[in-house]
């Protein structure tokens, strides 16, 4: 039914105005875009006062609703209805007017406790630390009304004017279409996402009556279930909106990955309200809503458990970082939605070799062994290269990242410590030469004497030259300052602070606690262990390189005989 009605006719329906789950909080009174002349409450009151002096008709934007026997469900018109409610309460209107904000209990209690307010307006003074958004703007609206109407001579006459002269289009639609219509109407101005419409549909279905129960029992049980679902969903929403959660999983949307991965587990489809409803809520029954909610709850718990377990947190974060060009969603779906427990350690180690998701999950053992052998050999060849910094810098970055993460995984008696992945943010990471390439030194007099940057004469073996054939006198060592043995992972700013200083000065800078602002890199444990060395000469580089290569071989040794 579409009709133009007055405010009196609106209220004379004598039904409770119900705020559904998908509606956002009350925000009238907020200045939009920081402009002091765009406050919706002030604009409405000024318009009403302007019309009042001529007793002219006032036309408001339409209200879209669903009517039941005892409720008017506000699909579009929550903000205006709430503002009019506060206005009439301030004026002392004693007719029937009830708003059900049970989706937010504190808001419901605040509104239901209002009487004629002009004498008590002082208790609604502004509090920037107000815990609840609705209540903050309820109070602000009341203060604006009081300021605008405090000199009004005849409140009863103004009430009658409002009841008879406010007109608006009243649009009534079936309840089953409510969430879809809300999404369409608010798509541009409220940016309602598929996840929010899905929530509303689940709550709507959960509210339907079950066969075999008395009407009173049905209503009680339905309200309890809907409230529990709404609270739990909002808790998930809060969790997914945390910055640390979104950074780890690489998501920015309202409900992160929960709803989209649940849908993909069912049919592998892209998320939309229509698709989710067709696949997951096709029956349109309360039990369908319950099954979906239970499935979402289990998936959410798996996400939270992973996030709260440092070693799993670190391995997930590393996989998403090093495989960011290989559609990380494949891994997330594989790890979080498969019914069988996934060996994340295996996936983590293979990801650092550069295998794609499809290669990691390859079921044909012979084919996998061939893939692994080729990737392993490629990585080993690049890491062994004495000029890895110049020729295969990305390989060095990946290896050094893993070495630092693995050290965090050993902390707290093997329980692990969460790794700070900000080192991998765009433009942040850097590699430092422990013995600086600019301090390689030059021959001075005797064949085995070199002068360092401080003018000190050192033996040849204390220096490394940028030549791949440099050796100790006995021919044992072969290395350069650009080998993996002379490189550590740092933040770019820390690297710049080091400049071309020698190891001893770098070490002093690194461990100088008075310069905390310079060294974000102090959380990188592998880097710390390198700088903790008492000295750093050519032999140190060669020994560190040899150790790194042996550790790399050992790290992947079991894959040669692993059954996939």
């Amino acid at each position: 039914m579409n009709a133009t009605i007055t405010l009196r006719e609106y209220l004379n329906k004598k039904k409770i105005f119900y705020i559904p789950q998908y509606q956002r909080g009350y925000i009238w009174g907020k200045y939009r875009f920081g402009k002091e002349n765009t406050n919706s409450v002030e604009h409405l009151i000024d318009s009403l006062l302007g019309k009042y002096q001529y007793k002219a008709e006032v036309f408001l934007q339409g209200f879209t609703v669903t009517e039941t026997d005892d409720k008017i469900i506000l699909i579009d018109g929550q903000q205006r209805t709430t503002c009019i409610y506060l206005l009439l309460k301030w004026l002392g209107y004693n007719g029937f007017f009830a708003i059900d904000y049970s989706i937010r209990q504190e808001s419901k209690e605040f509104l239901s406790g209002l009487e004629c307010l002009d004498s008590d307006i002082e208790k609604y003074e502004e509090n920037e630390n107000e815990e609840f958004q609705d209540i903050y703007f309820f109070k602000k609206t009341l203060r604006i009304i009081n300021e605008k109407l405090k000199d009004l001579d005849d409140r009863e006459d103004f009430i009658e004017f409002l009841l008879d002269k406010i007109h608006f289009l009243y649009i009534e639609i079936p309840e089953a279409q409510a969430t879809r219509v809300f999404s369409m109407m608010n798509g541009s101005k409220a940016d309602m996402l598929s996840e929010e419409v899905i929530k509303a549909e689940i709550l709507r279905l959960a509210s339907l009556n079950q066969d075999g129960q008395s009407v009173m029992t049905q209503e009680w049980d339905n309200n309890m279930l809907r409230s529990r679902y709404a609270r739990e969903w909002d808790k998930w929403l809060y969790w997914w909106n945390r910055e640390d959660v979104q950074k780890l999983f690489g998501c920015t949307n309202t409900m992160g990955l929960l709803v989209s991965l649940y849908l993909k587990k069912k049919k592998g489809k892209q998320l939309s309200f229509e698709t989710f409803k067709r696949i997951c809520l096709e029956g349109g029954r309360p039990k369908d809503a319950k099954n979906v909610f239970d499935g979402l709850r289990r998936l959410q718990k798996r996400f939270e458990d992973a996030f709260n377990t440092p070693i799993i947190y670190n391995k997930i974060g590393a996989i998403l970082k090093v495989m960011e060009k290989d559609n990380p969603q494949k891994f997330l779906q594989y790890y979080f939605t498969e019914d069988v427990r996934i060996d994340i350690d295996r996936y983590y180690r293979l990801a650092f070799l550069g295998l794609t998701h499809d290669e990691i999950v390859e079921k044909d053992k012979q084919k996998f062994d061939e893939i692994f052998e080729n990737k392993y050999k490629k990585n080993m060849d690049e890491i062994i290269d004495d000029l890895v910094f110049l020729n295969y810098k990305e390989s060095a970055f990946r290896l050094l990242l893993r070495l630092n993460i693995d050290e965090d995984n050993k902390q707290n008696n093997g329980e692990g410590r969460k790794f700070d992945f900000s080192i991998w943010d765009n433009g942040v990471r850097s590699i430092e030469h422990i013995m600086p390439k600019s301090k390689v030194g030059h021959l001075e007099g005797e064949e085995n004497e070199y002068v360092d940057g401080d003018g000190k004469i050192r033996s040849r073996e204390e220096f490394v030259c940028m030549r791949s054939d440099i050796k100790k006198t006995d021919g044992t060592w072969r290395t350069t300052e650009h080998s993996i043995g002379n490189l550590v992972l740092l933040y770019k700013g820390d690297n710049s602070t080091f400049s071309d200083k020698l190891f001893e000065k770098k070490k002093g800078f690194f461990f100088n606690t008075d310069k905390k602002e310079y060294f974000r890199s102090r959380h990188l444990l592998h880097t710390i262990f390198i700088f903790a060395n008492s000295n750093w000469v050519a032999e140190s580089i060669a020994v560190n390189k040899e150790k790194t290569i042996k550790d790399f071989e050992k790290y992947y040794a079991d894959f040669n005989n692993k059954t996939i």
Side-chain angles (χ1 to χ4, degrees):
M1 178 190 76
N2 295 350
T4 300
I5 66 174
T6 65
L7 177 59
R8 188 184 298 276
E9 291 170 320
Y10 191 49
L11 299 181
N12 278 349
K13 291 177 177 289
K14 296 192 183 309
K15 295 182 179 182
I16 296 173
F17 293 95
Y18 179 76
I19 311 300
Q21 300 287 349
Y22 46 78
Q23 289 283 9
R24 289 165 176 78
Y26 178 74
I27 58 170
W28 267 28
K30 181 178 182 179
Y31 292 111
R32 289 171 288 174
F33 312 113
K35 297 179 181 178
E36 296 295 312
N37 62 349
T38 56
N39 182 307
S40 298
V41 179
E42 291 179 357
H43 178 75
L44 176 63
I45 302 300
D46 288 342
S47 297
L48 293 174
L49 287 173
K51 298 287 187 179
Y52 177 55
Q53 59 182 319
Y54 305 109
K55 296 296 192 290
E57 292 182 332
V58 181
F59 290 91
L60 299 183
Q61 185 180 342
F63 288 64
T64 303
V65 306
T66 290
E67 279 201 42
T68 67
D69 290 340
D70 59 348
K71 293 178 184 176
I72 295 176
I73 301 171
L74 293 168
I75 298 167
D76 186 56
Q78 171 206 358
Q79 306 285 335
R80 279 162 285 145
T81 300
T82 305
C83 184
I84 291 170
Y85 177 88
L86 294 169
L87 172 59
L88 289 177
K89 281 293 183 181
W90 186 90
L91 289 167
Y93 176 69
N94 56 15
F96 181 83
F97 194 170
I99 296 183
D100 185 352
Y101 261 81
S102 57
I103 56 170
R104 289 180 285 277
Q105 187 64 28
E106 295 79 10
S107 302
K108 179 180 180 180
E109 292 174 359
F110 181 92
L111 292 176
S112 63
L114 294 178
E115 299 297 338
C116 183
L117 296 167
D118 61 321
S119 61
D120 296 327
I121 199 69
E122 292 80 7
K123 70 181 180 181
Y124 299 115
E125 64 183 12
E126 184 169 12
N127 177 11
E128 292 291 344
N129 297 316
E130 185 71 59
E131 185 176 358
F132 303 103
Q133 173 188 291
D134 285 353
I135 295 176
Y136 176 85
F137 285 107
F138 291 159
K139 291 179 179 180
K140 184 168 185 179
T141 296
L142 290 168
R143 292 196 304 273
I144 294 171
I145 292 170
N146 183 72
E147 180 63 29
K148 293 284 185 181
L149 301 181
K150 61 185 177 182
D151 297 325
L152 190 66
D153 292 330
D154 191 341
R155 295 189 183 189
E156 288 296 330
D157 186 61
F158 191 64
I159 290 173
E160 292 300 309
F161 161 76
L162 297 177
L163 293 175
D164 291 328
K165 296 300 183 179
I166 289 179
H167 295 255
F168 51 84
L169 183 63
Y170 187 77
I171 305 166
E172 186 179 350
I173 64 169
E175 185 177 3
Q177 298 177 17
T179 51
R180 184 188 297 257
V181 171
F182 181 89
S183 179
M184 292 168 59
M185 296 180 70
N186 289 273
S188 60
K189 66 183 179 181
D191 191 26
M192 188 175 190
L193 301 175
S194 298
E195 295 91 330
E196 297 171 275
V197 191
I198 289 166
K199 171 194 174 183
E201 181 66 8
I202 291 172
L203 294 174
R204 185 185 74 81
L205 292 179
S207 301
L208 299 180
N209 289 337
Q210 304 282 352
D211 294 335
Q213 293 179 306
S214 69
V215 174
M216 183 177 295
T217 302
Q218 288 172 358
E219 184 70 18
W220 176 265
D221 289 349
N222 290 345
N223 286 337
M224 289 289 289
L225 182 64
R226 184 177 61 213
S227 296
R228 180 162 57 84
Y229 280 3
R231 286 194 303 271
E232 198 163 355
W233 185 286
D234 289 345
K235 195 168 128 186
W236 299 342
L237 177 64
Y238 176 81
W239 191 81
W240 280 105
N241 278 333
R242 284 171 45 178
E243 183 180 358
D244 54 349
V245 172
Q246 293 193 345
K247 283 198 75 171
L248 177 69
F249 293 111
C251 59
T252 56
N253 58 312
T254 307
M255 279 290 279
L257 299 161
L258 180 62
V259 181
S260 60
L261 286 190
Y262 179 83
L263 177 61
K264 285 185 177 180
K265 178 181 180 181
K266 296 291 183 184
K267 291 286 184 178
K269 301 288 186 180
Q270 290 298 315
L271 178 64
S272 71
F273 171 64
E274 291 77 12
T275 303
F276 192 96
K277 185 176 179 181
R278 186 179 70 253
I279 292 173
C280 303
L281 299 168
E282 183 179 13
R285 297 160 297 183
K287 74 174 186 178
D288 298 316
K290 181 179 184 300
N291 290 338
V292 167
F293 209 88
D294 287 346
L296 289 170
R297 182 186 290 119
R298 288 192 295 271
L299 183 57
Q300 175 68 16
K301 185 176 187 307
R302 192 158 188 184
F303 272 113
E304 291 184 15
D305 287 347
F307 185 86
N308 294 328
T309 306
I311 292 178
I312 302 300
Y313 174 101
N314 291 346
K315 290 182 178 177
I316 288 173
I319 289 167
L320 296 177
K321 294 299 183 185
V322 300
M323 296 182 70
E324 59 187 352
K325 296 180 180 178
D326 181 42
N327 188 5
Q329 283 266 340
K330 286 184 178 181
F331 160 70
L332 291 169
Q333 184 179 351
Y334 174 75
Y335 181 71
F336 285 103
T337 66
E338 291 291 328
D339 293 329
V340 296
R341 182 61 61 180
I342 304 303
D343 185 352
I344 193 170
D345 178 67
R346 174 182 181 275
Y347 201 110
Y348 169 80
R349 292 191 289 160
L350 293 173
F352 273 104
L353 283 183
L355 275 73
T356 66
H357 171 79
D358 293 338
E359 290 171 338
I360 291 173
V361 300
E362 174 60 57
K363 299 297 183 183
D364 186 311
K365 184 179 186 310
Q366 183 175 351
K367 192 171 181 181
F368 172 81
D369 287 346
E370 182 179 344
I371 293 169
F372 171 78
E373 184 179 350
N374 290 335
K375 289 291 177 73
Y376 175 80
K377 184 178 185 305
K378 179 177 183 295
N379 276 263
M380 178 63 84
D381 289 345
E382 292 175 358
I383 293 167
I384 287 177
D385 190 334
D386 279 305
L387 302 178
V388 63
F389 177 83
L390 302 177
N391 297 330
Y392 306 108
K393 196 170 185 177
E394 192 59 35
S395 297
F397 266 122
R398 282 203 314 269
L399 177 58
L400 292 170
L401 174 65
R402 179 177 66 77
L403 292 176
N404 278 286
I405 295 172
D406 286 347
E407 290 299 334
D408 268 23
N409 287 339
K410 298 173 188 176
Q411 301 307 301
N412 299 320
N413 296 317
E415 295 293 322
R417 180 187 78 166
K418 284 186 177 181
F419 185 77
D420 180 357
F421 285 99
S422 61
I423 185 68
W424 219 249
D425 290 348
N426 187 38
V428 169
R429 64 181 189 170
S430 178
I431 288 180
E432 168 70 358
H433 291 78
I434 306 166
M435 178 179 289
K437 57 182 180 293
S438 58
K439 297 286 188 179
V440 167
H442 57 277
L443 189 64
E444 180 86 9
E446 299 296 329
E447 183 178 352
N448 65 342
E449 290 182 345
Y450 289 75
V451 178
D452 65 22
D454 296 324
K456 296 179 181 178
I457 296 178
R458 299 180 180 268
S459 66
R460 175 172 177 160
E461 68 180 32
E462 289 183 291
F463 282 99
V464 184
C465 295
M466 199 185 75
R467 292 172 47 204
S468 60
D469 62 347
I470 194 69
K471 298 179 182 179
K472 278 183 64 177
T473 52
D474 62 2
T476 305
W477 305 107
R478 175 182 178 275
T479 188
T480 80
E481 80 274 20
H482 292 303
S483 76
I484 195 67
N486 192 43
L487 303 175
V488 288
L489 185 64
L490 287 177
Y491 287 85
K492 187 169 287 186
D494 293 354
N495 200 347
S496 300
T497 301
F498 278 144
S499 186
D500 60 351
K501 296 176 178 62
L502 290 172
F503 174 74
E504 291 83 0
K505 290 192 174 181
K506 288 182 181 180
K507 180 176 179 178
F509 262 54
F510 193 84
F511 291 109
N512 185 347
T513 55
D514 293 334
K515 296 187 177 294
K516 287 181 181 178
E517 70 277 12
Y518 295 152
F519 285 95
R520 296 173 63 189
S521 305
R522 289 200 187 104
H523 78 85
L524 299 168
L525 295 183
H526 174 264
T527 300
I528 286 178
F529 295 157
I530 294 297
F531 279 111
N533 278 275
S534 59
N535 193 15
W536 199 260
V537 295
E539 184 174 347
S540 307
I541 297 172
V543 168
N544 188 44
K545 178 190 171 183
E546 182 178 347
K547 179 182 182 303
T548 303
I549 298 303
K550 285 183 177 179
D551 287 346
F552 184 85
E553 290 175 335
K554 183 178 179 181
Y555 197 75
Y556 292 102
D558 60 325
F559 277 96
N560 291 325
N561 299 311
K562 191 172 181 65
T563 301
I564 305 303

